[in-house]
Amino acid sequence: MPMKKLNVFTTSTIASALLLAAPSSFAAGFQLDAQSATGAGRAFAGDGIIADNASVMAINPAAMALFDKTSFSMGATAIKPMISVEDGYYQSHLSPNGDVSYDDAGNLAVAPNMFLVVPVNDKWAVGAGLYSNFGTESEFDDSFPSEYGGTSSIISAELALAASYRLNEHWSFGAGLDLIYGHGEFKRGIGIDKDLSPSAKAIIAKAINTKLNTNIKPKNLPDNISSDSTLVDVDASGAGLGWNVGTTYELDENNRWGISYHASPEIHAKGKIDGPAGITLADEIVVPLPDFAQFSGYNHFKGTKFALSYTIGWTDWSKFNDLATADPDITLQKFEWRDTWTAAIGGTYYLNDQWTLRAGYKFDQGAQDEITTIAVPDSNRNWLSAGFSYAPSSDSSIDFGLTYLLGVDVDAHEEHGISSIDATTHTDAIIAGVQYSKTF
């Protein structure tokens, strides 16, 4: 069978399989904040400047200058998305029409993290971090139209290397490199459950050829396609190199602010991208990852045990305009996402030498604009977070954070040649982090 160049019906599914996003939040565009349990306990408010453990280097490399001792941190973040599809209506040329819904398509995923910050002298510090910037899984069983459901599994990891320089008692600067690797496995079926007549084959072949600008003959399609027949089978991976810069300003030990910018790479993901009857559709997809920037602040009120932290963030999701093959440059699907903003505020209460309490709230803007999909559900989200730290000794702590993320309903419409669906998607999530930190 000669190689074809494009996806078939559900190209948005490839996007969700290969969105190897830069570290941010389980939020717009399926980004993920998974670098610390302390951050999860305050909705990641002020996470680029507080520097209560080594994970701060993942957001702002300049904040490493705040450490006067070697700091090590390791932990894991568990993410349980709850994706539901309601009030759906499915129409197909070759299958029965009807109402469809799904209660929970989100599966539990765990993202580990590890960081080390080493002050070289009173001016320089270096750091390294290893963490997952995206890790989740969703699965629809055969009760849901298989060209819009199916299974998605994503694993991604980032190796961060950075250095900081303290100019004086107020100003510090930092820069780093981000090596991002991602692997995605994705399967979609075809919503037909009967033997194919010649006319049915002609309809399917015409839909494929119209969408892909190919010339698949009806005779090349199998005689029987059932609900578990493969429509898209993706197993692809890729890596890219990004960079980041940051600065911090310290008014005094209780008041400081930081700004950081991350330039994300363009991932060229290669691997198996097959369609019906084992047809090879492509072997490389280009995934443009968004740049993002943050401003963070931390104010510990003198004479009290309370500190306020806050973050305003921006993500360049309009960079993710479409998904396309590398050579030739053929668009698989338009997304036309918009740039997004996020705002978070948190509080930290230093109860005593052993216990620290945290809470926070964040508003997160969704990246979807006029184009909506079920395979990549997205919406505005509200974060409600709480957490604590217990210090068994003066140089170590055990941290825990819990976030409940509330999405809003989004009306979605999709059509893929032989069928269409209208539905309302809703995504909530529970994020829990645990971590151990120590200074030397």
Side-chain angles (χ1 to χ4, degrees):
M1 185 70 64
M3 175 179 169
K4 304 300 178 183
K5 296 184 177 65
L6 292 176
N7 199 334
V8 190
F9 303 113
T10 55
T11 51
S12 62
T13 63
I14 291 180
S16 63
L18 298 178
L19 264 177
L20 318 175
S24 191
S25 57
F26 183 81
F30 276 84
Q31 294 174 276
L32 173 67
D33 258 332
Q35 73 270 14
S36 74
T38 49
R42 57 175 174 257
F44 294 93
D47 232 40
I49 193 61
I50 294 181
D52 42 15
N53 55 68
S55 66
V56 68
M57 66 161 294
I59 304 299
N60 188 348
M64 296 190 300
L66 299 172
F67 293 85
D68 56 10
K69 294 181 180 180
T70 296
S71 179
F72 172 77
S73 178
M74 66 178 299
T77 302
I79 309 101
K80 177 59 174 76
M82 295 165 285
I83 304 169
S84 64
V85 182
E86 302 172 346
D87 301 324
Y89 187 73
Y90 175 72
Q91 292 180 290
S92 174
H93 295 297
L94 300 172
S95 296
N97 301 335
D99 297 330
V100 293
S101 62
Y102 208 87
D103 290 334
D104 186 7
N107 291 339
L108 178 69
V110 178
N113 58 74
M114 184 181 300
F115 300 92
L116 179 67
V117 173
V118 180
V120 178
N121 51 43
D122 60 356
K123 291 290 186 180
W124 290 94
V126 295
L130 183 63
Y131 56 104
S132 177
N133 51 49
F134 196 94
T136 191
E137 184 177 351
S138 64
E139 184 174 4
F140 293 78
D141 62 29
D142 291 342
S143 67
F144 195 80
S146 53
E147 67 267 41
Y148 301 102
T151 300
S152 306
S153 177
I154 304 99
I155 299 173
S156 67
E158 177 165 337
L159 173 63
L161 302 172
S164 68
Y165 176 75
R166 175 175 287 280
L167 181 65
N168 53 43
E169 63 178 330
H170 297 297
W171 289 98
S172 299
F173 301 89
L177 296 175
D178 302 312
L179 177 62
I180 301 175
Y181 167 84
H183 174 255
E185 295 183 23
F186 198 84
K187 286 189 177 181
R188 284 294 185 271
I190 188 167
I192 304 170
D193 194 9
K194 64 179 181 179
D195 291 338
L196 296 182
S197 65
S199 60
K201 284 187 177 183
I203 291 174
I204 295 175
K206 181 178 180 181
I208 294 174
N209 293 331
T210 298
K211 188 171 185 65
L212 311 183
N213 194 28
T214 56
N215 190 29
I216 295 175
K217 304 296 184 184
K219 66 180 182 180
N220 293 332
L221 296 174
D223 292 330
N224 180 275
I225 300 179
S226 64
S227 59
D228 60 356
S229 294
T230 297
L231 176 63
V232 175
D233 187 354
V234 175
D235 189 338
S237 59
L241 184 64
W243 55 268
N244 60 86
V245 294
T247 185
T248 64
Y249 176 77
E250 302 167 67
L251 180 63
D252 52 43
E253 63 179 358
N254 292 319
N255 299 277
R256 53 186 181 266
W257 298 267
I259 299 175
S260 61
Y261 181 87
H262 285 247
S264 300
E266 183 176 77
I267 300 290
H268 287 248
K270 296 183 178 181
K272 178 180 69 172
I273 305 171
D274 292 343
I279 298 171
T280 298
L281 304 172
D283 60 7
E284 181 176 333
I285 294 176
V286 180
V287 184
L289 302 183
D291 300 345
F292 65 95
Q294 285 193 7
F295 166 79
S296 297
Y298 171 81
N299 305 106
H300 187 178
F301 298 104
K302 189 175 181 179
T304 75
K305 297 182 177 182
F306 179 76
L308 183 70
S309 57
Y310 39 91
T311 290
I312 297 174
W314 166 85
T315 303
D316 183 21
W317 272 121
S318 60
K319 183 178 177 182
F320 196 77
N321 187 56
D322 57 31
L323 195 68
T325 56
D327 186 19
D329 182 12
I330 302 175
T331 299
L332 300 178
Q333 177 160 334
K334 287 284 186 181
F335 285 90
E336 297 181 359
W337 283 353
R338 62 185 177 183
D339 292 349
T340 61
W341 290 87
T342 183
I345 187 168
T348 302
Y349 187 78
Y350 301 97
L351 183 62
N352 52 44
D353 290 340
Q354 288 187 307
W355 291 95
T356 302
L357 308 179
R358 301 179 182 88
Y361 165 79
K362 176 161 69 172
F363 172 77
D364 218 357
Q365 188 180 28
Q368 280 188 160
D369 197 5
E370 295 184 3
I371 297 177
T372 57
T373 65
I374 292 174
V376 191
D378 188 34
S379 71
N380 294 342
R381 295 178 170 95
N382 295 282
W383 295 53
L384 300 174
S385 303
F388 64 86
S389 290
Y390 170 72
S393 64
S394 60
D395 59 1
S396 65
S397 70
I398 300 169
D399 314 302
F400 178 78
L402 181 67
T403 288
Y404 192 88
L405 189 152
L406 297 92
V408 299
D409 290 348
V410 174
D411 293 331
H413 171 80
E414 289 188 78
E415 53 185 69
H416 297 304
I418 62 170
S419 66
S420 66
I421 190 170
D422 290 275
T424 299
T425 62
H426 187 98
T427 303
D428 294 337
I430 296 174
I431 302 173
V434 63
Q435 159 184 299
Y436 174 76
S437 300
K438 185 174 177 60
T439 58
F440 302 92

